[in-house]
Amino acid sequence: MAKLKEYVIVISKNATYNERRAAKFLSDTIKKVGGRRPTLIYDDTEPTAYEIVIGRTEREVQLGAEFTRAVERAKEFEVRCVSSRLFVTGLGLIPEPAEFNPDASMNYGDIGTVFAVYYLVEKVMGHKFVYKTVLDMYSGSVDVEIDEKCNFIYNREMLLAQMPEKIDGTAMYYFNSVAPSTGGQGIIFKTREGKLVVIDGGLPVNTESFLKYLELLWDGEGVPVVSAWFFSHMHIDHFGVYHKICTTPEYRARLKVEGFYCDLLDDEFYAVKTSEPLQYHVEVRHVMMSEYEDLGVKVHTVKTGEHIVIDELDFEVIHTPSDVVNNPRKVNPNDSTVVYKLNVDNKQTIMFLGDAEGVCSDQMLEFHKDKLKSDVVQAGHHGVANVSGECYNAIDAKVFLYSSCLHTWYLEWGMEIHGAHDPGMKRQHYYMTRLGVKDENVYTNNHGMLTFKLPIEIK
Amino acid sequence: MPKLSQYSIVIEKDASYSSLAAAKFLANNISAATGYQIPVYTDDLPAKDFEIVVGQTNREELSDVCFERSEAREYEYEIRLVGTRLFMSGLGKVGEKIARPFNSYVSFSDGAIGTSLAAYRFVEETFGAGFLFPADLSLITDMDADKIEIDGRYDFKYTREDLYGERPEIADGAVMYSIPVMGSHRRFGNSAIFKASDGSFAVYNGGLEADAEHICDLLEYLNADKTQKPRVSAWLISLPMFGYSGALKAICEDEALKERISVDRVYYKVLSENFHTKGSATARTEHGEYRNALLFAGESLGCEMLEVNTGDVIKAGDIEFEVLYSPTEETESAPRVHYFDASVVYKAKFADMSVVLFGNARKRVSDYILSNGPEKFDCDVLVLSNHGKGGIARECYERIKAKKYMYQCCPAQYYGDNGEGFASDGGSITRTRNYLSELGISCGDICKDTYGIITFGNK
């Protein structure tokens, strides 16, 4: 066993763009934190004792380390200690070159290797490079010991195998997608009395898992009963699960939903008036507004100021799309979000911003500023382009929850991990810095689901 | 002489987003290059002798330094050594603009972008351009902070006045001057003046409307016969758009400017009004205005208007321009055609050298090069398309085999970091740099007109 600072970095003699940049990032970070740059060698040299092997190399053959790679595993990765070597690699394969597209990203099928190195730096070295204050530039250590404790697999099998931990009392379960780095939002609450409440649900691919989570958490008889299913807005990473349940009789038979709470606008909004007009969203709207007998669901259109109380959970509707539908600005689906503020037993407030953006932000500041103060906030739109600094100032939360995925969490400007939203994410980090949010009060589900006992402990 | 290892970074206690970003960028690069964990603190702490002062702080009063700041100078900056204190600051008026309506996607503007650009300049001047090539392991820089002297060489002023005030050496024979476009803070445009041996001129584009006077100033300065107005025998336009045909438009609309020069012929290509205003990706109503203004140039200037076609040869004194690519009606009907696909590509031949001016060429040109052979595009200097943001496939660069590459762009584009709010299309500028890097093009073979006029020919 040796310390990170004793390791050399190995990459393929024919390393790809992403493998080289991953190696450079690790090399720079080790030097930044530890003061000395690790030696970098290529895989056409004899193996040495302590090596961090980045990406796909000959070392896998030389040292008998096998990885299951496939083109469709581009966003998956593995960190595995084999003897005294640490393999840090994506699980994708470079696909056949496609026709040149000037707007294509530089992911090249091996972005997983970059994610793997970021994971190593963030979780093993403890270097806060994603969200950090300027006065904490050199966090982390190169004295960490490299052993099996570093092992981590981020792949579809791992995500599928996750199950929520049952805890006593009021709980909140913050799920991520079972499809690697695809994001979305799905939250389940369980009250002291065992009632279940949901916000959104996530992508359709998560439906089976989400139902399993509900079944596991349900203590009552028969199929799980969701007392209230709150819906934020018309994007598939939010409506996917509920829409899939509604359109699949076998799924509808596996639960009951007492109330579906939403504010879905008229067909014309989704088909024409929004800045992202889509006929499909009209069809989805019709599905979600239907009251399926076997599901037992009653659809309830929420109004600003309304309270929906389930045991100790009091959800107040802070903002609805009906408030802004006549806004002269083009309202996009994100801005058609319903914003809820949860009061947990009068002990803590949590603001769920959904994917709220500029129109929501301005509306809330103009009409509901006095109601925005919250202890905890779900960072709007997965932490990327969302509400304004002025709005976050008014919310003034101590805890930030990100429902993100690797490509949003590890945004890296200029390298196209996630291009269009870059300034929004950086802006959000600045707001958090300005508010003095501590690292330990920032939670993200990007490496796996999170379980919170409510109220959330503020560190 | 003080050494970098003696220095700390100081920022304002309530530093702006861009100042924080600049300080982080500096600390990251200094520690990665030297291993020196440069301390970072805020200006409410006691001043020290050796400080790198980032952005606007109370140290300015302490050192009796004054920077002329204004809203119009947001993208300008100054790096200045005062005693042992090194100031690097944007010249914008600092303060987050609390804008309503708030736009979640707009670049972050806090008046201090110039401070970030100054930090990038410092790093480039001190450690080289490695930070611009995230995957080029040959550009990893390791230096000793004890040996880096902080001295008078750190004296950079990036302002509109300075760039407009620059006058190039007047060379004999045929010469090309690549002119920084400064009419806008974000400088989307390009411009070059060619001087033929007989003293006549050719102008390539000319930049933005606000650059019109500067172009006239330079033409008058370069004109050998002060008794006559400078004669532009050929004004070549690559694309009817604000940063390209804007200066010509402004001259046509301003009697005083029109009086200062004579223009014999304007060479151009426009497609249908519908293509410019609606039919292509990124088409805009304003592109139609530039198209129509360009068509009016002949009447306004009393000059000949000549539409160019692929294969045309234009003579301007002893300078020859070959039209390597000009769009056609077929371009308009191509699938997924982009506005930039309407760019004309010229090759200038003069003084035993050749320069290919890609304009904003994109995929149509890229495909044309690959299907028609790259030989015609062979050149000594290749001016990268779209300010280095790239719309051209790697294979084209590989097959053209230029000796030198030039960026015609502003710092915000050259330092391509979308996350800082720089309008740089981060990924595409990185992708083009990666092509150059993988093709073995050294930094020494890459130049830019970002910080001043670049002269080709004669020498």
Side-chain angles (χ1 to χ4, degrees):
Chain A
M1 199 148 56
K3 292 176 176 173
L4 177 64
K5 65 185 179 187
E6 296 167 59
Y7 275 69
V8 301
I9 294 174
V10 184
I11 59 168
S12 166
K13 189 74 183 163
N14 303 310
T16 63
Y17 169 81
N18 281 322
E19 288 169 343
R20 284 182 277 121
R21 74 151 143 147
K24 193 174 178 192
F25 176 76
L26 180 61
S27 172
D28 280 351
T29 309
I30 289 174
K31 183 163 180 192
K32 187 170 76 169
V33 172
R36 196 181 67 83
R37 188 177 296 285
T39 303
L40 194 147
I41 60 173
Y42 293 97
D43 63 349
D44 57 351
T45 58
E46 283 298 309
T48 58
Y50 301 111
E51 294 181 336
I52 296 172
V53 184
I54 293 178
R56 200 172 182 194
T57 69
E58 289 297 319
R59 290 291 193 265
E60 292 175 22
V61 178
Q62 293 163 351
L63 301 168
E66 287 184 19
F67 294 91
T68 307
R69 290 191 172 89
V71 169
E72 63 273 16
R73 290 182 181 273
K75 292 175 180 173
E76 302 178 17
F77 68 83
E78 190 168 346
V79 176
R80 192 197 303 171
C81 200
V82 177
S83 178
S84 61
R85 280 90 182 181
L86 187 69
F87 288 85
V88 183
T89 183
L91 299 175
L93 285 175
I94 312 286
E96 288 297 310
E99 186 186 11
F100 172 66
N101 174 2
D103 302 317
S105 79
M106 296 174 71
N107 287 351
Y108 301 142
D110 60 351
I111 198 70
T113 295
V114 178
F115 290 160
V117 166
Y118 285 178
Y119 173 86
L120 180 73
V121 165
E122 186 185 24
K123 300 294 183 188
V124 178
M125 282 180 71
H127 180 55
K128 307 286 185 194
F129 74 100
V130 180
Y131 162 64
K132 60 184 179 313
T133 71
V134 72
L135 304 177
D136 184 24
M137 281 299 303
Y138 313 107
S139 57
S141 171
V142 294
D143 287 316
V144 289
E145 296 200 325
I146 300 299
D147 56 25
E148 284 75 15
K149 289 199 294 293
C150 302
N151 289 1
F152 185 72
I153 301 177
Y154 179 81
N155 62 15
R156 59 201 62 206
E157 291 82 4
M158 175 281 266
L159 293 169
L160 268 169
Q162 290 185 118
M163 291 303 273
E165 176 194 355
K166 285 183 86 166
I167 56 174
D168 293 331
T170 318
M172 176 171 75
Y173 301 92
Y174 218 70
F175 299 102
N176 62 352
S177 179
V178 296
S181 203
T182 50
Q185 177 160 284
I187 305 167
I188 299 175
F189 300 86
K190 189 176 174 188
T191 69
R192 278 193 297 266
E193 298 300 316
K195 287 184 182 165
L196 300 176
V197 174
V198 170
I199 294 181
D200 289 341
L203 288 158
V205 69
N206 293 295
T207 309
E208 179 62 37
S209 299
F210 205 78
L211 285 169
K212 280 186 184 163
Y213 304 153
L214 289 169
E215 285 160 357
L216 178 88
L217 294 170
W218 177 243
D219 294 327
E221 291 181 1
V223 296
V225 177
V226 177
S227 302
W229 193 306
F230 294 100
F231 177 63
S232 69
H233 72 289
M234 190 63 84
H235 267 148
I236 197 166
D237 58 331
H238 295 259
F239 70 67
V241 165
Y242 186 73
H243 178 257
K244 189 81 177 170
I245 289 170
C246 290
T247 52
T248 313
E250 300 80 46
Y251 286 146
R252 291 205 302 268
R254 287 174 58 182
L255 79 165
K256 297 286 179 199
V257 178
E258 291 181 337
F260 180 71
Y261 295 84
C262 63
D263 181 23
L264 294 171
L265 299 170
D266 61 19
D267 289 357
E268 192 192 0
F269 172 80
Y270 297 110
V272 183
K273 285 168 73 177
T274 172
S275 59
E276 293 171 31
L278 206 57
Q279 186 59 34
Y280 176 61
H281 285 169
V282 174
E283 294 159 23
V284 172
R285 177 188 179 280
H286 283 259
V287 167
M288 298 178 79
M289 289 297 284
S290 301
E291 297 189 338
Y292 300 88
E293 206 171 305
D294 48 357
L295 202 54
V297 63
K298 296 288 176 206
V299 177
H300 182 96
T301 296
V302 296
K303 305 277 183 229
T304 300
E306 185 178 352
H307 287 256
I308 298 105
V309 181
I310 312 292
D311 293 340
E312 69 275 28
L313 304 178
D314 178 349
F315 291 87
E316 180 179 3
V317 181
I318 298 294
H319 167 89
T320 66
S322 293
D323 299 339
V324 292
V325 69
N326 293 319
N327 193 296
R329 295 164 71 185
K330 278 265 186 189
V331 176
N332 69 18
N334 285 339
D335 265 322
S336 72
T337 287
V338 179
V339 176
Y340 299 97
K341 182 177 177 180
L342 168 62
N343 185 322
V344 184
D345 212 8
N346 290 320
K347 290 176 181 161
Q348 186 167 73
T349 50
I350 307 176
M351 180 69 76
F352 292 96
L353 289 173
D355 282 2
E357 292 190 359
V359 176
C360 277
S361 178
D362 290 347
Q363 177 82 5
M364 290 193 292
L365 284 166
E366 189 169 353
F367 296 102
H368 312 295
K369 194 169 182 179
D370 58 324
K371 290 194 167 182
L372 296 182
K373 174 74 187 89
S374 306
D375 303 309
V376 180
V377 64
Q378 166 245 317
H381 195 204
H382 318 283
V384 294
N386 56 83
V387 300
S388 65
E390 198 185 358
C391 197
Y392 277 116
N393 282 348
I395 295 170
D396 193 23
K398 298 286 178 281
V399 176
F400 274 68
L401 306 175
Y402 279 79
S403 69
S404 59
C405 55
L406 298 181
H407 68 272
T408 50
W409 183 245
Y410 290 138
L411 281 174
E412 190 172 296
W413 341 125
M415 298 198 204
E416 292 214 348
I417 282 184
H418 199 45
H421 296 125
D422 291 355
M425 185 81 160
K426 279 213 162 179
R427 192 164 49 218
Q428 160 104 20
H429 288 173
Y430 171 62
Y431 298 153
M432 289 158 66
T433 302
R434 197 171 55 187
L435 288 167
V437 179
K438 295 177 184 170
D439 285 336
E440 51 271 34
N441 287 324
V442 179
Y443 295 92
T444 169
N445 61 357
N446 59 47
H447 289 116
M449 64 176 65
L450 301 172
T451 299
F452 296 97
K453 187 173 173 60
L454 297 182
I456 297 170
E457 182 194 355
I458 299 176
K459 295 166 190 163
Chain B
M1 196 61 67
K3 307 293 190 291
L4 179 60
S5 55
Q6 296 170 265
Y7 277 79
S8 303
I9 292 171
V10 59
I11 53 172
E12 194 185 17
K13 184 168 186 300
D14 299 312
S16 64
Y17 167 83
S18 295
S19 296
L20 277 173
K24 281 182 188 179
F25 178 80
L26 265 186
N28 259 328
N29 280 277
I30 289 171
S31 57
T34 68
Y36 169 51
Q37 292 188 342
I38 187 167
V40 184
Y41 53 81
T42 51
D43 66 351
D44 54 328
L45 294 176
K48 296 178 183 174
D49 289 337
F50 302 103
E51 291 180 328
I52 297 175
V53 184
V54 175
Q56 192 168 357
T57 71
N58 62 16
R59 301 302 195 256
E60 289 176 23
E61 196 179 341
L62 208 62
S63 293
D64 199 17
V65 174
C66 182
F67 292 102
E68 285 179 38
R69 293 187 173 92
S70 73
E71 276 190 23
R73 292 177 177 273
E74 184 173 1
Y75 283 72
E76 301 180 11
Y77 65 79
E78 204 171 330
I79 298 176
R80 196 195 303 174
L81 186 67
V82 179
T84 56
R85 201 167 271 138
L86 183 68
F87 289 87
M88 59 180 73
S89 179
L91 300 177
K93 201 168 176 187
V94 182
E96 185 188 348
K97 295 175 185 67
I98 297 183
R100 289 199 203 166
F102 171 69
N103 182 339
S104 305
Y105 291 88
V106 78
S107 296
F108 196 90
S109 171
D110 58 5
I113 288 279
T115 298
S116 286
L117 298 176
Y120 279 62
R121 178 77 178 272
F122 174 87
V123 167
E124 186 182 15
E125 297 288 344
T126 308
F127 303 116
F131 73 98
L132 297 170
F133 295 84
D136 192 335
L137 301 172
S138 71
L139 293 178
I140 287 178
T141 306
D142 284 311
M143 297 171 80
D144 186 344
D146 290 333
K147 292 182 179 162
I148 297 171
E149 294 183 342
I150 302 297
D151 55 22
R153 75 189 157 121
Y154 294 107
D155 183 14
F156 305 111
K157 205 171 173 192
Y158 175 74
T159 67
R160 186 174 301 177
E161 293 89 326
D162 281 60
L163 284 186
Y164 275 174
E166 185 193 3
R167 294 291 176 265
E169 190 182 329
I170 300 176
D172 294 329
V175 186
M176 169 185 166
Y177 301 99
S178 182
I179 313 293
V181 172
M182 277 300 286
S184 153
H185 288 305
R186 291 163 76 157
R187 280 182 51 190
F188 295 120
N190 56 31
S191 176
I193 294 174
F194 293 81
K195 188 171 82 70
S197 298
D198 65 5
S200 66
F201 298 98
V203 173
Y204 172 68
N205 286 332
L208 295 136
E209 281 154 282
D211 292 303
E213 189 169 353
H214 181 224
I215 285 289
C216 291
D217 291 346
L218 283 175
L219 288 167
E220 285 175 345
Y221 164 78
L222 293 167
N223 189 24
D225 184 354
K226 303 294 182 197
T227 65
Q228 300 288 320
K229 290 196 282 190
R231 183 171 72 84
V232 179
S233 62
W235 195 307
L236 301 93
I237 296 294
S238 70
L239 187 67
M241 192 176 165
F242 55 87
Y244 310 90
S245 62
L248 183 63
K249 177 175 181 280
I251 290 170
C252 289
E253 292 168 354
D254 186 311
E255 292 302 322
L257 290 177
K258 218 178 341 185
E259 281 303 307
R260 292 172 61 184
I261 59 170
S262 68
V263 179
D264 296 344
R265 283 170 291 276
V266 171
Y267 296 89
Y268 71 103
K269 181 76 176 190
V270 296
L271 297 176
S272 73
E273 188 159 3
N274 179 65
F275 175 87
H276 293 271
T277 57
K278 293 177 189 159
S280 55
T282 69
R284 290 184 199 162
T285 307
E286 70 174 62
H287 295 338
E289 290 164 16
Y290 285 95
R291 173 191 179 275
N292 296 336
L294 180 56
L295 294 174
F296 175 69
E299 190 181 322
S300 172
L301 299 171
C303 67
E304 251 187 289
M305 296 293 293
L306 295 165
E307 272 205 291
V308 295
N309 294 300
T310 303
D312 286 355
V313 175
I314 299 158
K315 298 274 189 188
D318 55 349
I319 302 173
E320 185 180 291
F321 294 93
E322 184 181 353
V323 180
L324 297 181
Y325 177 86
S326 181
T328 63
E329 285 77 20
E330 194 193 338
T331 310
E332 286 200 46
S333 55
R336 301 188 304 279
V337 68
H338 190 280
Y339 186 65
F340 291 168
D341 282 316
S343 292
V344 178
V345 179
Y346 298 97
K347 181 181 194 173
K349 297 175 196 167
F350 58 99
D352 296 326
M353 71 180 302
S354 57
V355 178
V356 166
L357 301 145
F358 258 146
N360 281 11
R362 257 173 80 95
K363 189 170 186 305
R364 296 288 298 171
V365 172
S366 187
D367 291 348
Y368 177 84
I369 293 170
L370 295 177
S371 58
N372 290 275
E375 300 76 23
K376 284 198 299 180
F377 289 78
D378 283 350
C379 57
D380 298 301
V381 180
L382 178 61
V383 180
L384 292 156
S385 77
N386 196 13
H387 324 287
K389 290 195 279 189
I392 303 295
R394 181 187 191 278
E395 200 180 345
C396 294
Y397 293 111
E398 192 171 14
R399 292 175 65 181
I400 290 172
K401 293 191 176 67
K403 295 186 183 72
K404 278 192 177 294
Y405 296 81
M406 185 166 78
Y407 286 81
Q408 283 186 311
C409 65
C410 61
Q413 289 167 318
Y414 187 70
Y415 294 137
D417 191 328
N418 207 27
E420 308 294 353
F422 299 168
S424 60
D425 291 357
S428 48
I429 205 158
T430 307
R431 181 167 52 230
T432 301
R433 281 216 181 89
N434 185 48
Y435 293 158
L436 301 183
S437 166
E438 287 182 346
L439 293 173
I441 310 300
S442 74
C443 290
D445 290 326
I446 297 172
C447 60
K448 58 183 183 285
D449 70 1
T450 309
Y451 292 128
I453 295 169
I454 300 280
T455 306
F456 291 111
N458 191 41
K459 296 174 187 171

